[in-house]
Amino acid sequence: MKLINFGSMNYDKVYRVPGIVKPGETITAHSLTTFFGGKGLNQSVALARAGAKVYHAGLVGTDGAPLKEFLRENGVDVSLIETAKVENGQAIIQVDDSGQNSIFLFPGSNRAVTPIFAGNVLCYFEEGDYILLQNEISSLGEIIKIARERGMKIILNPSPFDEHLDSCDLSAVDTFLLNEVEGEAVSGTSDPKRMADAILEQYPKSHVVLTLGKQGVLYKDASHSASHGIFEMPVIDTTAAGDTFTGYYIAGMLEGQPVESALRLASMAAALAVSREGAAPSIPLRAEVDAALEQQK
Ligand code: RIB
């Protein structure tokens, strides 16, 4: 069984600001730092740091070689990353004094992914292999279609939720990993207690993992449900906390851990990520997560 993450790679320009800028307002940032990020890259790094073997597929821009090198250094297989003749994707991120963020994306190379590139990548994968997807690359609908035709298990983190998901056949998804905003968009209900059930009514064979911020996380499939609370940590920067949760949850799942243990592992990894600055650099190593869980006993 192989795992591929077909996803974005961004340069994150992180501005520490006293408060998120409002329309018409001008503010001065405390600092500017460039980190490696992108939901795709962050989730591959989280998977690799959790101990999973993962292939990352996607497109960097002509200025994107350091992103590929960073993934390689983290133990991710980068043989399916190619270079597009455009500028690399970027995220402009404001982080305020309470650690909350606000992001806008310049997609660049991430939206140069074509169905032909997707077909070339996915021919290396077969029935029973897993594919992890987010919504920061182009041709997502085609990738889902090809992965389904090849009998792959599709894990979707529909983030950020926007109109590009309209062209995706969500009935092909095996596991949804979503937050409250994405949960509302997929389920059609704003009541967090109803979201997982509403998704299962539409997609009865799927598995739903719903992160609810301070309320923790819920899991539900047709025959089983579980939940886990958050681990309290000082909040420095929430960027990539969801990506860390996603990578660690999938790693736990692929290790064959019971859902409850995978939720616990992922919740601690996300809590540690929140207590550190940046996107990919904030993702903890497995040994750090295991040690922190041990201290809880
Ligand atoms: O989820 C966090 C990520 O979202 C950042 O790294 C940024 O690149 C955006 O894609």
Side-chain angles (χ1 to χ4, degrees):
M1 185 280 296
K2 297 202 284 287
L3 166 66
I4 175 177
N5 179 13
F6 208 139
S8 59
M9 293 162 276
N10 289 335
Y11 288 112
D12 286 0
K13 305 276 182 190
V14 178
Y15 297 82
R16 297 289 320 198
V17 289
I20 307 291
V21 68
K22 296 180 191 63
E25 191 184 30
T26 301
I27 58 169
T28 302
H30 303 310
S31 64
L32 165 62
T33 316
T34 301
F35 294 106
F36 296 133
K39 293 185 196 304
L41 178 144
N42 296 338
Q43 292 179 20
S44 281
V45 170
L47 279 157
R49 290 189 181 168
K53 177 162 171 42
V54 57
Y55 294 81
H56 189 99
L59 293 175
V60 289
T62 46
D63 53 338
L67 293 157
K68 184 171 170 180
E69 181 56 19
F70 178 75
L71 282 167
R72 198 189 58 71
E73 284 166 5
N74 275 276
V76 176
D77 187 310
V78 298
S79 56
L80 298 170
I81 297 176
E82 291 189 7
T83 304
K85 288 194 179 112
V86 293
E87 201 176 333
N88 204 94
Q90 287 189 14
I92 306 299
I93 305 181
Q94 299 173 64
V95 181
D96 72 13
D97 290 341
S98 73
Q100 285 308 307
N101 66 36
S102 172
I103 302 178
F104 73 83
L105 293 173
F106 166 72
S109 48
N110 297 306
R111 289 222 169 267
V113 172
T114 60
I116 291 175
F117 175 57
N120 291 342
V121 163
L122 293 182
C123 71
Y124 295 107
F125 298 86
E126 58 194 11
E127 185 161 2
D129 289 341
Y130 284 82
I131 182 166
L132 169 61
L133 297 164
Q134 313 78 27
N135 185 30
E136 285 187 346
I137 57 171
S138 50
S139 301
L140 192 62
E142 288 87 350
I143 294 172
I144 290 176
K145 189 165 171 283
I146 300 168
R148 176 183 230 176
E149 283 164 4
R150 299 192 73 78
M152 298 175 73
K153 290 197 170 148
I154 300 168
I155 305 170
L156 178 64
N157 171 221
S159 180
F161 199 96
D162 65 22
E163 72 286 355
H164 292 105
L165 286 155
D166 295 346
S167 60
C168 297
D169 177 7
L170 298 189
S171 71
V173 174
D174 181 75
T175 300
F176 290 95
L177 280 136
L178 12 72
N179 66 19
E180 211 168 326
V181 174
E182 296 138 17
E184 177 171 352
V186 175
S187 69
T189 172
S190 58
D191 178 359
K193 294 199 195 84
R194 280 272 313 132
M195 283 175 189
D197 285 326
I199 294 172
L200 286 171
E201 279 159 23
Q202 294 178 72
Y203 312 112
K205 291 190 194 142
S206 68
H207 307 75
V208 181
V209 183
L210 184 62
T211 55
L212 296 170
K214 290 215 176 306
Q215 270 65 52
V217 56
L218 296 176
Y219 168 90
K220 206 151 194 179
D221 64 30
S223 59
H224 185 68
S225 61
S227 62
H228 200 284
I230 60 159
F231 292 104
E232 293 280 357
M233 293 274 172
V235 178
I236 302 296
D237 182 353
T238 55
T239 312
D243 299 329
T244 304
F245 182 94
T246 295
Y248 265 84
Y249 175 78
I250 296 167
M253 184 186 90
L254 296 181
E255 284 169 16
Q257 290 196 24
V259 167
E260 289 75 3
S261 310
L263 294 180
R264 185 167 183 269
L265 177 74
S267 299
M268 181 56 87
L272 290 170
V274 158
S275 70
R276 301 166 182 183
E277 210 176 353
S282 74
I283 300 169
L285 298 170
R286 179 64 176 263
E288 296 174 298
V289 181
D290 288 342
L293 285 173
E294 197 55 39
Q295 278 180 6
Q296 297 287 318
K297 286 186 179 161

